[in-house]
Amino acid sequence: MNSNILVFEPVSRTVSLAMSLKKVLLDVKTKYQHVQIVEIEEFGRTLILDGLIQCTEADEYLYHESLVHPVMITHPKPKKVLIVGGGDGAALREVLKHDVVEEVVLVDIDGELVDIARKYLEVIHKGSFNDPRSRVVIMDGFKYIEESNDRYDVVILDLTDPHGPEIAKALYSKEFYSKLTSRLYGDGIIVTQSGNSFFFPNTYGRTVSNVRQVFSIVREYSVWVPSFGYACNFIIASNSYDPARLSRYEVDERLRVRNVSTSYYNGEVHEMFMRMPVLYNRFSVDVDR
Ligand code: SAM
C-alpha cells in the first residue's frame, strides 16, 4: 500500500476503509460540523463531515445520479424542486440538468459549509449554486418544512447519514415525513438517502418504516459507492406515482426530452433499481438508537 498517511473511513461501527491521504486542503469546525476537504489517492477531492466521507470527485456521480434522477424522472413535470441538505451542490447540479425545472431551493443548516463548498468543491458542484434557477436557504431543514408555505413537485433529502451525526436525525422521523406532505403539491414525490441497510439494518428499518407510515407508494433501491465501502440505500415515496411502473423506454424518453445527460443512470439502471432486493446483515451490531 502507498506509504502516504492513511485516512480511515468508518463503514460501520466495526469496519473501516483505509485510504491513502495525499493532501489536506482544509480542516475546520463550523458551528455544526467538522469539515475536511482533502485529496485521497484514487478518489481525488473529497468532502468529509464529522469523519464520514460525503462525496469524492471519483465516485460522487454514482450517488448523486442515483439520488436525483429516479425521483425526477418519475414525476411527469417537476418544475419546483426542494433539496434539503446537499450543501456540496452536487444534487443541485443534477436537478438543474432537467430543463423542465423552473426553481430549485436548497436548504442546508450549515452556511459555512456551503461557502466552503462554493470555494473548494467547484470540481463537484460545477457552478450549480450560480444557476439563476437556484436559491440557497441556510436553515435547519426541519424548521424550514415547519415554517415555509412553499410547495414542491419533488423533495430530495440529501442529508448526513441516519446512523451519522445528530444534526440530521430528526429528518428521518415519521413526524418529519408527515410535515413534509404539506410542502408537496398533491402529486408530489420525495426521495431520501438512507444510509446502508446491510451494516445498519435497524436504523435503516426504522427509516423505511417511518416513510411507509406516511406514503402509500414506497420503493427502495441502492447503489454501490466505493468510497463509502457499501451500497447507499435510497427510498422513494409518493401517494401518486410509482417509479416501478416506468419502463426503461419511458425513462430514456423522458431523459431525452428533458436533455438530461448522465454517466450512470438510464432506463436499464432504473429498471434494475426497481427490482433490487434490500440487503440485511444478521451479524450487524447496529442498534437503533
Ligand atoms: N450523504 C450525502 C452524501 O453522502 O453525499 C450527504 C451530502 S451533504 C454534504 C449532507 C448535508 O446535510 C450537509 O451539507 C449538512 O450540512 C446537511 N444537513 C445535516 N443536517 C441538516 C439539517 N438538520 N437541516 C439541513 N441540512 C442538514
Side-chain angles (χ1 to χ4, degrees):
M1 181 176 291
N2 189 308
S3 60
N4 281 341
I5 303 167
L6 291 180
V7 58
F8 290 91
E9 162 67 2
V11 175
S12 75
R13 303 202 203 294
T14 65
V15 174
S16 291
L17 271 183
M19 305 156 123
S20 286
L21 179 67
K22 285 176 67 180
K23 195 166 36 172
V24 177
L25 296 161
L26 185 78
D27 187 334
V28 294
K29 281 208 186 307
T30 70
K31 181 182 172 192
Y32 292 100
Q33 41 208 345
H34 180 192
V35 181
Q36 295 165 296
I37 305 278
V38 299
E39 299 277 348
I40 294 180
E41 199 76 64
E42 296 193 271
F43 285 102
R45 185 150 302 191
T46 298
L47 169 65
I48 301 175
L49 294 180
D50 292 330
L52 290 172
I53 286 181
Q54 301 298 306
C55 53
T56 82
E57 194 177 347
D59 65 3
E60 58 81 16
Y61 72 97
L62 294 166
Y63 171 90
H64 290 106
E65 287 190 19
S66 303
L67 169 73
V68 168
H69 298 304
V71 72
M72 287 292 289
I73 282 298
T74 300
H75 194 288
K77 200 169 187 181
K79 294 192 285 186
K80 276 193 73 181
V81 179
L82 171 65
I83 299 171
V84 182
D88 47 45
L92 181 59
R93 175 198 76 213
E94 290 303 309
V95 167
L96 290 166
K97 286 182 177 176
H98 294 251
D99 59 13
V100 63
V101 168
E102 293 173 0
E103 183 187 14
V104 197
V105 176
L106 183 146
V107 179
D108 199 291
I109 197 169
D110 194 338
E112 293 169 272
L113 170 67
V114 172
D115 290 342
I116 290 168
R118 284 178 190 269
K119 182 175 175 191
Y120 288 92
L121 297 177
E122 169 91 30
V123 71
I124 287 180
H125 63 66
K126 298 202 170 46
S128 62
F129 292 111
N130 303 326
D131 188 295
R133 295 171 291 170
S134 302
R135 181 159 64 91
V136 176
V137 173
I138 302 303
M139 184 188 260
D140 173 35
F142 201 109
K143 192 163 180 284
Y144 177 82
I145 294 300
E146 285 188 312
E147 295 181 1
S148 164
N149 293 315
D150 286 340
R151 284 181 179 263
Y152 297 91
D153 297 305
V154 169
V155 176
I156 296 170
L157 303 171
D158 182 21
L159 294 154
T160 43
D161 295 310
H163 57 266
E166 283 305 315
I167 53 172
K169 287 263 168 76
L171 288 79
Y172 291 93
S173 67
K174 181 189 170 196
E175 185 194 7
F176 177 73
Y177 297 130
S178 301
K179 290 178 186 294
L180 194 51
T181 55
S182 55
R183 297 281 62 77
L184 288 170
Y185 287 118
D187 65 346
I189 182 168
I190 75 158
V191 65
T192 184
Q193 85 92 352
S194 35
N196 174 256
S197 60
F198 183 80
F199 287 113
F200 301 95
N202 294 313
T203 305
Y204 176 79
R206 172 68 56 211
T207 302
V208 74
S209 164
N210 292 341
V211 174
R212 288 193 185 286
Q213 291 176 65
V214 176
F215 294 95
S216 57
I217 303 167
V218 177
R219 296 290 178 182
E220 303 165 69
Y221 62 99
S222 63
V223 69
W224 175 253
V225 183
S227 61
F228 290 2
Y230 59 57
C232 185
N233 289 80
F234 301 95
I235 303 168
I236 284 188
S238 164
N239 292 317
S240 306
Y241 303 116
D242 183 352
R245 295 176 66 84
L246 277 176
S247 73
R248 66 181 69 183
Y249 309 105
E250 289 167 309
V251 170
D252 285 337
E253 178 60 8
R254 289 188 182 186
L255 288 171
R256 186 189 66 77
V257 165
R258 297 180 193 178
N259 298 308
V260 180
S261 64
T262 55
S263 303
Y264 175 72
Y265 175 78
N266 61 24
E268 268 190 295
V269 170
H270 183 95
E271 282 189 357
M272 173 190 74
F273 279 162
M274 294 302 131
R275 290 177 174 73
M276 294 178 95
V278 178
L279 302 180
Y280 289 97
N281 171 16
R282 61 194 171 89
F283 295 99
S284 165
V285 297
D286 174 43
V287 287
D288 182 19
R289 295 183 178 177

